[in-house]
Amino acid sequence: MTLLPPTPAQQKRIDEQLPPDPEMRKQDIRAIREWLSKQPHLPNHMDNGRLERFLYGCKNSVERCKLILERYFSVRTSLPEFFAVRDPLSRDIQDCCDAIDFFVLPSLSDEGYRVTVLRVRDTNPEKFSIQTIARRILMVLDVRLTEETCLSNIMIIDFQGFHTIHFAKCFPTQSNVRRAMLAVQDSMPFRLFSVHFLHAPSSITSILNIFYPLLKEKLIHKFHVHNGGGEELYAYMNKDILPNEWGGKAGTLRELNDAWREKIEKNRDWFLKEEKFSRTDESARLPDSKPSSLLMELEGIQGTFRKLNID
């Protein structure tokens, strides 16, 4: 699956939001590289291109980038269930690809945002594993960090086929859900512009009410709840970038899902190698370097949810 670059019009909008400054970017990367060299507990194996994508995702803030890099490596040590075995050919990942559609659309929105879709294909709740879904999401995000930058992200979650037990598996009162959200939301330099819920059940308000007290008001305003399907998205984005079944031209849901399965499979060697390098060595941490607060946040839902990286 090829992620298409911005069109000239999209690039113009992107540059208006984050004006390019190549010389400043070089200076910032040097500063980040120098900081990494003084952090013996952190790896320093990323190439400059990948570091630039981290910096861009942090709105070119060097200090924010340092924080996210610390979290990026720390979470891989603190939450091994999402990072210790990331083989795209493993049975659980393959089963997840069969049961769950998860992919990034090839074309950007007119504003320059990447659009990601999550939906169930096999409605059997036994095939719905939060741990495996989170692991797969993180694999896709890592692939994106090796290939592209984007201004922000739109998430589409299609509830068609969801049953009560699916929702029960997503409740934040469960430790594995909190740990998954911490792994996905607090360790990646991706900003979130909006979330669209399709085929929302009548009980969606009650379900979301469980989350609302734990979320920043700014994030809540980015939620869009729809009772219908893909046609509900036309008011928010060019329908041509959507899957064929939703009136778009991007390809079928199955084609898009299979393309991303193939993409992570092609990166198998990279994933297996990264498992060994992208983690902290806590025994080498300097006394004046504070440990990551990830585990402390894990103790309380409040801390977990309030660290969302939103525009």
Side-chain angles (χ1 to χ4, degrees), residues 77-250:
T77 306
S78 303
L79 303 174
E81 64 265 39
F82 304 114
F83 302 99
V85 182
R86 295 211 295 174
D87 185 347
L89 298 181
S90 64
R91 186 71 268 155
D92 58 345
I93 293 296
Q94 287 293 310
D95 287 346
C96 182
C97 290
D98 288 336
I100 308 294
D101 287 333
F102 179 74
F103 52 82
V104 186
L105 293 175
S107 299
L108 293 162
S109 72
D110 290 343
E111 297 80 10
Y113 303 152
R114 282 290 173 206
V115 181
T116 302
V117 175
L118 174 67
R119 63 187 297 275
V120 298
R121 181 187 300 173
D122 187 332
T123 59
N124 181 355
E126 295 299 317
K127 303 291 183 68
F128 188 81
S129 165
I130 290 294
Q131 181 172 314
T132 308
I133 292 170
R135 189 184 306 150
R136 182 176 164 204
I137 289 172
L138 287 159
M139 292 170 75
V140 168
L141 292 177
D142 263 330
V143 169
R144 290 180 58 191
L145 278 173
T146 67
E147 293 188 357
E148 62 134 9
T149 58
C150 73
L151 193 59
S152 195
N153 292 269
I154 297 172
M155 185 72 199
I156 301 171
I157 300 176
D158 187 355
F159 285 139
Q160 189 172 40
F162 265 62
H163 303 303
T164 302
I165 193 168
H166 287 104
F167 288 108
K169 286 188 173 187
C170 299
F171 277 15
T173 50
Q174 300 183 67
S175 174
N176 68 325
V177 175
R178 298 200 303 273
R179 293 171 72 88
M181 295 188 72
L182 188 62
V184 173
Q185 296 174 343
D186 282 8
S187 65
M188 288 287 185
F190 290 100
R191 297 190 299 277
L192 180 64
F193 178 74
S194 62
V195 181
H196 292 267
F197 301 105
L198 303 181
H199 294 109
S202 58
S203 59
I204 190 64
T205 300
S206 299
I207 294 170
L208 292 178
N209 279 341
I210 298 173
F211 291 85
Y212 282 166
L214 309 170
L215 298 173
K216 289 182 179 180
E217 185 176 354
K218 189 175 183 180
L219 177 64
I220 295 170
H221 290 317
K222 295 178 183 293
F223 286 176
H224 303 276
V225 178
H226 310 287
N227 299 122
E231 70 280 356
E232 302 273 10
L233 300 169
Y234 298 171
Y236 300 90
M237 62 192 73
N238 184 340
K239 75 173 186 177
D240 286 349
I241 74 172
L242 296 172
N244 295 1
E245 292 90 337
W246 295 351
K249 301 177 180 178

Side-chain angles (χ1 to χ4, degrees), residues 29-46:
I29 293 300
R30 283 196 294 268
I32 293 168
R33 184 73 73 190
E34 181 179 359
W35 171 78
L36 281 170
S37 71
K38 296 176 181 178
Q39 310 297 318
H41 66 293
L42 297 180
N44 195 2
H45 68 298
M46 285 189 182

